Amino acid sequence: MVNLFWFLSWMSYLHVLGFDLKTAPLFLTLCCCILSEIPMNWFINGGFMEKRAGFLGYREKIWLKLWEIPANRSKLHHYYQYIWSKMFPRKWWKNLLIAWVIGWVVASSWLFWYMSSQTTERRKETLAGMCDERARMLQDQFNVSMNHVQALSILISTFHHGKNPSSIDQATFARYTERTVFERPLTSGVAYAVRVLHSEREQFEKQQGWTIKRMDTMEQTQVQEDDYAPETQDPSPAQEEYAPVIFAQETISHVISIDMLSGKEDRENVLRARASGKGVLTAPFRLLKSNRLGVILTFAVYKSELPSNATPMERIQATDGYLGGVFDVESLVEKLLHQLASKQSIIVNVYDTTNLSQSISMYGPDEEGDDTMYHISTLNFGDPIRKHEMHCRFKQKLPWPWLAITTSIGVLVIALLLGHIFHATINRIAKVEDDFHKMMELKKRAEAADVAKSQFLATVSHEIRTPMNGVLGMLQMLMDTDLDITQQDYVSTAQASGKALVSLINEVLDQAKIESGKLELEAVRFDLRAILDDVLSLFSGKSQDKGIELAVYISDRVPEILIGDPGRFRQIITNLMGNSIKFTEKGHIFVTVHLVEEVINSIEVETDFSSKNTLSGLPVPDRCRSWENFDKFSQEGHMCPQTFLSTSSGLINLIVSVEDTGVGIPLEAQSRVFTPFMQVGPSIARIHGGTGIGLSISKCLVGMMNGEIGFVSEPQIGSTFSFTAVFTNVRSNSTEYKNQQNNQSKSLSSEFHGMTAVVVDPRPVRAKVTRYHLQRLGIQVEITSDLNEDFASTASGTAVINMVLVEKEVWDSDMGFSNLFVHKLRKIDQVDLPKLFLLANSISSTKTRSAKSVQYTPIIISKPLRASMLAASLQRAMGVGNTVNCHDRGLPVLSLCNLLKGKRILVVDDNNVNLRVAAGALKKYGADVECAASGNKAIEMLRPPHTFDACFMDIQMPEMDGFEATRRIREMEHDINSHIRHGEVSAEANGNIMNWHVPIFAMTADVIQATRVECKRCGMDGYVSKPFEGEQLYREVARFFKSTQSHIQ
């Protein structure tokens, strides 16, 4: 197709440059017509318009402008396929293709005929021009010679007959005619014959000295030039008059004494010339001596007194003689053709056509030429009686019309190619249509399989989690009874095993949802620091048992409240920290959270990874290598600021690192770390257990949060996993959450605001973590690295030290320094002596052998540090605030008791065990619980007016599921509310409630996202998955009761 378009362009250029190719416009039109038949989507998708438009001429650019199409090429492609399939059903495709081929065969044949005829016409025109040119030149030169012969006749009449004695003799005439031969280029000689009567013959012959010879014998016997002798000729027979030649040009002097009236042709011409007074030509004849074809032009010489309007008789009587010019036609035409450069290209023949039946050839070779084409030009030599013609033909026959042949064949080939393209396109369309139908069928099957898979996941989730809900619920209820130590150990072990099984089920279901694309993220407000405190609480027991440091540090620039999916973020942190706990036997696990901008600008990020600058003092891999392969990082390992949005845009880019000093990952296993169900080796699975899908799920979740995850690991040194995540920042003008944030900070820091603490720790990183947690409580912190150092605050007298926190390993390292430190504390001049706290990693290290006194008994605070736990410990030791507060992120028993005490709650479930578990859990928090075993019974019990404050509804139940039951309950409430608003029913008859809306919480083991969406769609207010715990129950109930408390009262 590109070659076709270049051919179009070249034909246009040839036409513009002025080449005499009349076919160029035809080809331009033809090619444009051909191109117009091509589907435009194929032409555009080939990219030709963009690549070649700059090289095309003005005309072709106009065509390109006419073929501009919309930018959506895919839609156009399907549009043309649709049009083709609609215009040409499959049964017509073959007939249309045959018609196309036949049509273009006819068109190419016509094109061949047209171009061949054009070539022939041009050849004929060329031949006619060349022939007419030669005829015109021959005729013009003959007329010139004829005029000079006539002038010579006047000369003889004047100087020979008009003078007595004559001024002209043979010598004079010969010399004169020889010198003026240039004026008669076509004559081979000139002769003058005088008129002699019979009575004057004898005297004339005596006067001339020779006898008058006859000519007819010479005509009968062709005499060659070498054999001719005038004296051997016979005398002219007696007749009325004679016309013997007396003067002749030297070239034809042999005709002197010849009687011109004795020859048949000459006699007729002489008599006709003197009667007409014009030049007369003879028929072609063989000239004497030369034996070549020639003609004689004869003029009569009259007496000078002859009037111009004389009659023929008067002309005959006034005749004195006859002047003849001999024309050697063959020589004359040869000379003429030699003057033309192209004489060799055509063959010229000259004919005397006076007698049409017997034309006489005057000149012309008998060569074979192109007999199929010739041209005839008429010659006018001044004699109206004699007719002459010039016949011309080309020497070479007409060559093969290669241009017509190649063009017609080329057009036919292009048409056949287009037919092939058309055929291939039609077949392709047919195949695409068939594939489309197959694809739609497969799509329906895939959708059905996807629905079946989702239903299977929901069913499996429900069927597995439902009995687990009963098991864990009953175990929890059993733990609330009086058990001895052995029984409590057994129950705790069983409960932990059940929770591990639920966690495993959740991971498998998450992996299945990720593979099916069903996993979706929430967008809710959450406290990042509270989530990390929760995760620390989850792993605090294991870290204390192993005696390893477990700490979290969050930059002050990270906002308190973010918008995102807190559950999935907690899942990522839990997976990473769980692996670190599993593979770390000594040292530390350190979680840091920074803004991306901080890492870019190296603000507050430790870059010295020596043993003195880590949490535990053990070496760790360079954490920068864990993010060096991120797409948003440059090749040098530093982050590119322009690739991240600033906090002012509403998006928060966090980078989280989990650093440990565990066994590390072998180099050969690092490439498959994020592969599902793959572990480092079989020994790892035997020693540490696990399914190998935690990191795979974490990577998918990080990707859904528009982030990346990477790691660096060195065997026997440790590993560092880092990931980025994008959250939405809560606007500072959000009044509700600004107040909520202020209230939360006040609840933790109001008792400690203005206090000062001294932290004694030789490790800067660990001291920074301790300062971070103390500052969250509003406490000012001073850090020293040695027990022997003086306190800057007391030395300057600017502040009162309220507490001193010393690392346990520093305290136990040298008891002498410890006693000196206690003595130093006693000397501090302030009303209340500072409290002394020791920060310990493990449970075994909480027993200290340090010096004790009445005033100074060190208080042990177990790590990992968390704001709620640290606040509770400080409150108990310092006697400030409410020592029974429950700010710990564990089970909010007191808060739930305050919320649910006296509340009447309906629990709906078809499983008796689940009813007992749910009822027992709610009754433990002071709620008045009633149960219903079906959706129909729940509808009857919740028909207004009723006294229930909330309802926990199972989703999957026989006869009527929870969705349908909820929809019917909402319809009943809508009808009652409508009647109350329109006054049809009084509010007093309905418990003085103007707007009935009982909170309904979904209670199901199904954790599929589509189930949560359906819960909201049918009118449910919350969602509690089985098995549920107190914290989850508190979160749902507190949110709803807090917002609807005024409506219920």
Side-chain angles (χ1 to χ4, degrees):
M1 192 55 53
V2 174
N3 293 333
L4 177 61
F5 221 102
W6 279 113
F7 178 70
L8 179 149
S9 303
W10 274 109
M11 294 309 299
S12 176
Y13 290 151
L14 291 175
H15 178 71
V16 172
L17 292 176
F19 290 95
D20 190 16
L21 296 177
K22 297 183 179 180
T23 56
L26 173 64
F27 278 106
L28 180 60
T29 305
L30 180 63
C31 294
C32 291
C33 293
I34 293 174
L35 288 177
S36 65
E37 299 296 330
I38 300 174
M40 287 296 100
N41 62 312
W42 185 91
F43 178 70
I44 295 301
N45 286 338
F48 174 76
M49 184 176 290
E50 293 83 355
K51 296 179 182 178
R52 298 296 188 191
F55 298 95
L56 297 180
Y58 175 74
R59 299 181 181 181
E60 291 74 24
K61 288 185 179 180
I62 294 178
W63 281 100
L64 292 180
K65 287 294 183 181
L66 294 178
W67 287 338
E68 288 183 354
I69 63 172
N72 197 331
R73 298 177 180 175
S74 177
K75 293 183 178 179
L76 185 65
H77 176 71
H78 295 296
Y79 170 75
Y80 273 101
Q81 285 190 352
Y82 174 79
I83 293 299
W84 277 96
S85 61
K86 292 299 181 183
M87 289 176 60
F88 306 107
R90 294 188 182 184
K91 63 181 181 178
W92 290 100
W93 291 352
K94 184 176 180 181
N95 297 334
L96 185 61
L97 182 61
I98 294 174
W100 171 272
V101 173
I102 294 175
W104 277 104
V105 168
V106 174
S108 61
S109 301
W110 173 86
L111 181 61
F112 172 75
W113 171 83
Y114 177 80
M115 296 186 66
S116 299
S117 62
Q118 290 292 314
T119 303
T120 304
E121 288 298 325
R122 288 195 299 272
R123 186 176 174 85
K124 286 182 179 180
E125 292 176 1
T126 302
L127 179 61
M130 297 172 69
C131 192
D132 291 341
E133 180 185 12
R134 285 156 176 76
R136 184 174 61 253
M137 292 178 63
L138 180 60
Q139 184 175 291
D140 291 343
Q141 293 189 20
F142 187 87
N143 290 335
V144 171
S145 298
M146 185 179 63
N147 292 335
H148 282 282
V149 171
Q150 186 177 9
L152 188 59
S153 67
I154 298 173
L155 178 69
I156 292 173
S157 174
T158 304
F159 292 98
H160 178 66
H161 294 286
K163 298 290 185 178
N164 192 11
S166 175
S167 301
I168 301 175
D169 56 10
Q170 169 59 27
T172 303
F173 184 84
R175 187 168 57 254
Y176 175 78
T177 55
E178 188 67 28
R179 297 179 66 178
T180 59
V181 70
F182 66 90
E183 296 178 345
R184 303 176 302 279
L186 300 184
T187 61
S188 59
V190 182
Y192 175 70
V194 67
R195 182 183 181 186
V196 178
L197 299 177
H198 181 70
S199 60
E200 300 173 351
R201 176 178 179 176
E202 184 177 356
Q203 184 181 357
F204 176 79
E205 290 178 345
K206 290 180 179 181
Q207 183 181 354
Q208 294 296 329
W210 41 260
T211 60
I212 301 175
K213 307 295 188 298
R214 66 185 297 174
M215 179 181 286
D216 51 357
T217 58
M218 297 176 63
E219 293 175 353
Q220 294 173 2
T221 303
Q222 299 295 329
V223 180
Q224 299 299 324
E225 182 177 358
D226 296 337
D227 299 334
Y228 176 73
E231 60 275 4
T232 62
Q233 300 297 322
D234 295 333
S236 177
Q239 53 188 8
E240 293 182 1
E241 60 176 300
Y242 307 92
V245 178
I246 63 174
F247 302 140
Q249 189 174 344
E250 189 66 31
T251 57
I252 57 174
S253 60
H254 57 276
V255 299
I256 295 176
S257 75
I258 301 299
D259 182 9
M260 304 304 295
L261 291 178
S262 61
K264 184 180 179 182
E265 287 289 337
D266 291 326
R267 180 180 181 85
E268 291 179 359
N269 287 347
V270 167
L271 296 179
R272 190 159 51 89
R274 72 183 185 181
S276 64
K278 297 181 179 179
V280 176
L281 289 174
T282 64
F285 64 96
R286 294 290 175 179
L287 298 175
L288 295 177
K289 299 183 74 175
S290 66
N291 200 26
R292 297 168 66 90
L293 282 176
V295 295
I296 298 176
L297 175 65
T298 304
F299 282 96
V301 177
Y302 299 103
K303 295 179 174 63
S304 59
E305 63 269 12
L306 180 68
S308 59
N309 56 351
T311 63
M313 187 56 67
E314 291 176 347
R315 291 180 182 277
I316 293 173
Q317 293 176 358
T319 300
D320 286 335
Y322 313 97
L323 182 67
V326 182
F327 291 84
D328 186 348
V329 178
E330 293 184 10
S331 299
L332 298 178
V333 176
E334 282 292 337
K335 291 179 181 179
L336 175 65
L337 295 180
H338 274 290
Q339 298 177 10
L340 300 173
S342 59
K343 68 182 183 67
Q344 300 296 331
S345 61
I346 63 173
I347 300 174
V348 177
N349 294 83
V350 180
Y351 294 92
D352 186 330
T353 58
T354 304
N355 187 356
L356 294 178
S357 61
Q358 294 181 353
S359 299
I360 303 173
S361 176
M362 300 174 65
Y363 171 81
D366 295 331
E367 299 178 19
E368 292 185 359
D370 187 4
D371 297 332
T372 61
M373 183 184 301
Y374 63 92
H375 180 75
I376 300 175
S377 298
T378 303
L379 297 173
N380 184 9
F381 293 147
D383 188 348
I385 301 299
R386 310 303 298 187
K387 304 295 182 183
H388 300 86
E389 292 179 352
M390 179 181 285
H391 293 196
C392 301
R393 52 196 171 94
F394 285 103
K395 285 186 177 182
Q396 303 295 332
K397 292 185 178 181
L398 179 65
W400 286 91
W402 291 112
L403 179 61
I405 293 173
T406 56
T407 303
S408 58
I409 292 177
V411 170
L412 181 60
V413 170
I414 291 173
L416 294 178
L417 288 176
L418 291 178
H420 175 71
I421 293 173
F422 169 78
H423 179 66
T425 302
I426 294 301
N427 290 338
R428 177 62 180 171
I429 292 173
K431 185 178 183 302
V432 169
E433 287 181 348
D434 294 339
D435 293 344
F436 174 76
H437 293 310
K438 293 179 182 179
M439 182 186 67
M440 293 304 297
E441 183 66 25
L442 294 176
K443 180 175 178 291
K444 292 179 181 179
R445 294 181 184 178
E447 289 175 348
D450 186 63
V451 172
K453 183 178 181 180
S454 299
Q455 293 176 350
F456 172 77
L457 289 176
T459 303
V460 169
S461 174
H462 183 274
E463 295 302 325
I464 295 178
R465 293 170 65 92
T466 295
M468 286 305 303
N469 175 56
V471 172
L472 294 178
M474 287 301 177
L475 289 175
Q476 183 62 43
M477 294 174 66
L478 182 61
M479 291 191 67
D480 293 337
T481 61
D482 293 332
L483 301 174
D484 58 26
I485 297 177
T486 302
Q487 292 172 335
Q488 286 183 356
D489 181 60
Y490 291 164
V491 173
S492 299
T493 303
Q495 191 176 37
S497 299
K499 290 183 178 180
L501 178 59
V502 171
S503 176
L504 176 61
I505 293 171
N506 289 338
E507 288 183 350
V508 174
L509 292 176
D510 284 343
Q511 183 66 29
K513 286 188 287 184
I514 289 173
E515 292 177 354
S516 61
K518 297 293 184 180
L519 188 64
E520 297 179 2
L521 298 181
E522 295 180 338
V524 298
R525 293 178 173 88
F526 68 95
D527 188 344
L528 179 66
R529 290 166 174 81
I531 288 179
L532 288 177
D533 283 349
D534 293 342
V535 177
L536 284 179
S537 299
L538 181 65
F539 294 107
S540 61
K542 293 182 179 180
S543 65
Q544 291 174 357
D545 292 341
K546 289 187 173 184
I548 59 178
E549 290 271 2
L550 180 60
V552 169
Y553 175 79
I554 302 177
S555 170
D556 295 337
R557 297 183 58 184
V558 177
E560 291 284 342
I561 304 297
L562 299 174
I563 297 178
D565 193 328
R568 296 304 179 184
F569 182 77
R570 180 189 288 109
Q571 185 176 358
I572 298 172
I573 297 295
T574 302
N575 287 336
L576 296 180
M577 291 186 66
N579 287 337
S580 296
I581 286 287
K582 186 187 302 183
F583 298 108
T584 303
E585 300 297 332
K586 62 178 180 178
H588 68 269
I589 299 172
F590 188 28
V591 181
T592 60
V593 182
H594 291 86
L595 292 180
V596 168
E597 287 83 354
E598 292 183 89
V599 180
I600 296 174
N601 301 314
S602 300
I603 299 177
E604 298 184 359
V605 178
E606 300 293 340
T607 58
D608 182 11
F609 288 94
S610 64
S611 59
K612 293 183 178 180
N613 201 28
T614 62
L615 191 66
S616 61
L618 296 180
V620 295
D622 185 359
R623 71 175 65 182
C624 295
R625 291 164 52 196
S626 63
W627 60 62
E628 64 183 1
N629 292 325
F630 287 1
D631 293 338
K632 296 180 180 179
F633 283 64
S634 63
Q635 295 298 327
E636 290 79 8
H638 300 288
M639 305 187 72
C640 303
Q642 62 270 22
T643 60
F644 293 92
L645 299 174
S646 63
T647 56
S648 61
S649 65
L651 297 180
I652 297 297
N653 293 275
L654 299 182
I655 181 167
V656 183
S657 296
V658 179
E659 175 187 282
D660 67 64
T661 56
V663 296
I665 303 174
L667 297 179
E668 64 274 8
Q670 292 184 7
S671 60
R672 60 176 185 269
V673 165
F674 295 107
T675 304
F677 304 104
M678 294 292 292
Q679 290 191 337
V680 172
S683 60
I684 298 297
R686 289 194 303 268
I687 298 174
H688 300 283
T691 60
I693 61 176
L695 289 178
S696 174
I697 294 174
S698 298
K699 183 176 181 179
C700 294
L701 294 177
V702 168
M704 295 180 68
M705 294 179 182
N706 299 321
E708 298 173 277
I709 187 170
F711 71 96
V712 57
S713 181
E714 296 181 11
Q716 307 307 320
I717 293 180
S719 303
T720 300
F721 282 79
S722 298
F723 70 92
T724 59
V726 179
F727 298 100
T728 303
N729 186 16
V730 177
R731 299 297 183 182
S732 58
N733 56 0
S734 179
T735 305
E736 176 184 356
Y737 276 84
K738 185 176 180 179
N739 295 335
Q740 180 179 353
Q741 181 176 347
N742 292 336
N743 293 334
Q744 290 177 351
S745 62
K746 287 181 180 179
S747 63
L748 292 177
S749 62
S750 58
E751 300 90 347
F752 308 103
H753 185 72
M755 292 186 179
T756 301
V758 175
V759 176
V760 181
D761 194 335
R763 295 179 187 156
V765 175
R766 188 169 57 186
K768 184 174 68 173
V769 172
T770 305
R771 181 178 61 185
Y772 156 71
H773 288 288
L774 291 173
Q775 287 178 344
R776 291 178 63 188
L777 302 179
I779 300 175
Q780 298 180 2
V781 181
E782 178 185 337
I783 297 178
T784 63
S785 59
D786 193 349
L787 290 174
N788 196 30
E789 292 184 7
D790 295 329
F791 302 142
S793 299
T794 57
S796 59
T798 57
V800 175
I801 298 177
N802 301 99
M803 62 194 76
V804 178
L805 292 89
V806 183
E807 278 294 327
K808 183 67 168 53
E809 64 181 37
V810 177
W811 185 265
D812 293 338
S813 62
D814 191 334
M815 294 305 302
F817 279 119
S818 299
N819 292 329
L820 291 176
F821 184 77
V822 171
H823 181 70
K824 187 186 300 183
L825 289 179
R826 291 175 181 173
K827 293 183 178 180
I828 295 178
D829 185 13
Q830 59 184 39
V831 177
D832 295 324
L833 294 179
K835 296 291 185 181
L836 178 62
F837 298 93
L838 299 183
L839 303 178
N841 289 328
S842 61
I843 299 175
S844 59
S845 64
T846 54
K847 297 180 180 180
T848 179
R849 64 181 186 272
S850 60
K852 300 180 181 179
S853 64
V854 178
Q855 294 87 359
Y856 286 97
T857 300
I859 301 173
I860 305 297
I861 299 179
S862 298
K863 293 190 290 185
L865 297 179
R866 305 179 300 282
S868 57
M869 179 274 298
L870 184 59
S873 299
L874 295 180
Q875 286 173 343
R876 287 192 299 267
M878 305 189 71
V880 297
N882 186 4
T883 59
V884 197
N885 71 66
C886 298
H887 290 300
D888 194 356
R889 295 295 175 176
L891 184 64
V893 178
L894 183 59
S895 300
L896 269 176
C897 293
N898 295 333
L899 279 175
L900 298 179
K901 185 175 182 180
K903 297 293 188 296
R904 194 161 182 259
I905 297 177
L906 176 64
V907 178
V908 184
D909 201 321
D910 62 307
N911 188 293
N912 187 44
V913 175
N914 290 337
L915 279 177
R916 293 177 61 188
V917 171
L922 293 171
K923 287 179 181 179
K924 183 175 66 173
Y925 302 129
D928 184 9
V929 181
E930 291 192 21
C931 299
S934 66
N936 289 322
K937 187 175 181 181
I939 292 174
E940 294 298 325
M941 297 178 70
L942 293 178
R943 185 182 302 276
H946 59 78
T947 58
F948 289 101
D949 297 299
C951 172
F952 285 83
M953 177 89 64
D954 187 26
I955 291 178
Q956 296 185 1
M957 295 184 295
E959 297 183 3
M960 181 184 298
D961 59 18
F963 297 141
E964 182 62 26
T966 302
R967 275 191 286 268
R968 295 192 180 185
I969 292 171
R970 295 307 183 206
E971 290 176 358
M972 290 190 308
E973 293 175 344
H974 180 270
D975 293 339
I976 293 296
N977 294 335
S978 178
H979 292 324
I980 294 175
R981 285 194 302 270
H982 291 86
E984 300 175 4
V985 178
S986 63
E988 291 79 6
N990 289 277
N992 291 324
I993 297 178
M994 298 297 296
N995 185 22
W996 281 93
H997 182 89
V998 61
I1000 300 178
F1001 301 96
M1003 184 180 61
T1004 179
D1006 187 0
V1007 294
I1008 304 300
Q1009 180 67 22
T1011 304
R1012 302 185 181 184
V1013 175
E1014 183 63 24
C1015 290
K1016 295 181 180 179
R1017 185 181 297 115
C1018 70
M1020 291 185 174
D1021 299 286
Y1023 185 96
V1024 179
S1025 62
K1026 299 178 184 178
F1028 61 85
E1029 297 181 353
E1031 181 182 359
Q1032 184 185 22
L1033 188 64
Y1034 172 80
R1035 186 166 57 248
E1036 291 295 330
V1037 173
R1039 177 180 60 83
F1040 187 81
F1041 281 172
K1042 179 179 180 181
S1043 60
T1044 59
Q1045 185 176 2
S1046 60
H1047 297 287
I1048 299 177
Q1049 292 179 351

